[in-house]
Amino acid sequence: DAKTTQPNSMESNEEEPVHLPCNHSTISGTDYIHWYRQLPSQGPEYVIHGLTSNVNNRMASLAIAEDRKSSTLILHRATLRDAAVYYCILRRTNNNDMRFGAGTRLTVKP
Amino acid sequence: KAGVTQTPRYLIKTRGQQVTLSCSPISGHRSVSWYQQTPGQGLQFLFEYFSETQRNKGNFPGRFSGRQFSNSRSEMNVSTLELGDSALYLCASSLVAESSYNEQFFGPGTRLTVL
């Protein structure tokens, strides 16, 4: 299985941008890159996903390297409510089996 | 639209007992996946059901089993409980199983404590 590597933790100041990196050097051509986050005492929630091109939605942006071996989740203006564990996951085509790594614990300081 | 619901939310059992957890997916969702979350191992995939059939299975012993009903509701069962089975069990539903980019919606989880 293709694996992902993320920093254990990151800190950010409120209302500043946050760039959360993820390495996935063994990604295959059909793997989608997904990001989920888990707020305290809740189940994970979907943030964004992409295949090759950069993606934007109301929550975040996803920047994917040209060789697809790494990606970066961008929160444009961190709020206290964005404090969570962020997971970068590779999902194989036609497969709902999501292999979570340890994720990055994001702390947002006021 | 109601989200994914899981019952019970909290459960305490003793070693050797068995337990059944229930998950009701979002209306219209046909795929249900189960995950175990522990501080040591993190989030681990247990299995996925689609149209009453198990499609994928994680690396867990046979004591962990599940099933899905015709209304897409799912149950998972753990027999002969061990202390290490203490965990948060999360259920996730998605609309269509055949696509790798389907968003999964997670429930709040069932916190199982084995004494």
Side-chain angles (χ1 to χ4, degrees):
Chain A
D1 294 341
K3 295 190 187 302
T4 62
T5 304
Q6 300 176 251
N8 290 334
S9 62
M10 291 185 66
E11 281 190 355
S12 171
N13 294 317
E14 196 175 11
E15 298 193 6
E16 289 186 355
V18 182
H19 291 230
L20 298 166
C22 180
N23 287 319
H24 29 78
S25 59
T26 59
I27 190 171
S28 72
T30 54
D31 283 337
Y32 283 80
I33 302 159
H34 287 250
W35 284 81
Y36 278 72
R37 71 180 186 181
Q38 187 171 21
L39 280 66
S41 303
Q42 294 186 28
E45 65 175 355
Y46 168 83
V47 177
I48 201 166
H49 77 273
L51 184 62
T52 56
S53 304
N54 294 344
V55 183
N56 299 296
N57 67 19
R58 64 176 178 81
M59 288 182 70
S61 295
L62 177 60
I64 301 173
E66 196 169 334
D67 63 5
R68 299 207 330 125
K69 293 186 176 184
S70 65
S71 60
T72 302
L73 178 70
I74 303 165
L75 306 179
H76 296 286
R77 289 183 64 203
T79 69
L80 297 179
R81 293 175 60 185
D82 291 322
V85 178
Y86 287 78
Y87 297 98
C88 168
I89 305 155
L90 300 181
R91 284 182 69 177
R92 293 171 285 178
T93 304
N94 297 330
N95 198 322
N96 267 340
D97 168 0
M98 293 207 296
R99 306 285 171 148
F100 287 80
T104 296
R105 182 173 298 279
L106 175 66
T107 301
V108 181
K109 297 181 289 184
Chain B
K1 202 175 196 180
V4 177
T5 57
Q6 293 187 244
T7 56
R9 293 291 311 278
Y10 301 91
L11 203 51
I12 299 175
K13 293 285 188 179
T14 57
R15 280 179 298 174
Q17 286 187 309
Q18 75 166 16
V19 66
T20 299
L21 311 181
S22 180
C23 172
S24 292
I26 292 172
S27 177
H29 285 195
R30 297 168 62 194
S31 169
V32 173
S33 300
W34 288 90
Y35 295 82
Q36 180 197 65
Q37 185 171 29
T38 60
Q41 298 296 321
L43 269 159
Q44 293 185 284
F45 172 77
L46 279 157
F47 29 65
E48 181 211 358
Y49 286 87
F50 177 70
S51 293
E52 303 178 64
T53 301
Q54 187 180 90
R55 295 182 73 239
N56 294 294
K57 190 176 189 308
N59 191 26
F60 278 81
R63 300 185 297 107
F64 292 82
S65 63
R67 60 178 175 168
Q68 187 180 33
F69 302 95
S70 58
N71 62 359
S72 293
R73 190 177 69 85
S74 177
E75 289 181 347
M76 68 161 283
N77 183 77
V78 187
S79 62
T80 320
L81 284 166
E82 301 177 359
L83 294 179
D85 297 333
S86 295
L88 180 67
Y89 290 88
L90 292 157
C91 164
S93 77
S94 62
L95 185 59
V96 175
E98 293 303 322
S99 169
S100 68
Y101 52 81
N102 275 311
E103 177 181 351
Q104 289 202 344
F105 294 83
F106 283 80
T110 294
R111 172 74 62 185
L112 172 65
T113 302
V114 181
L115 302 176

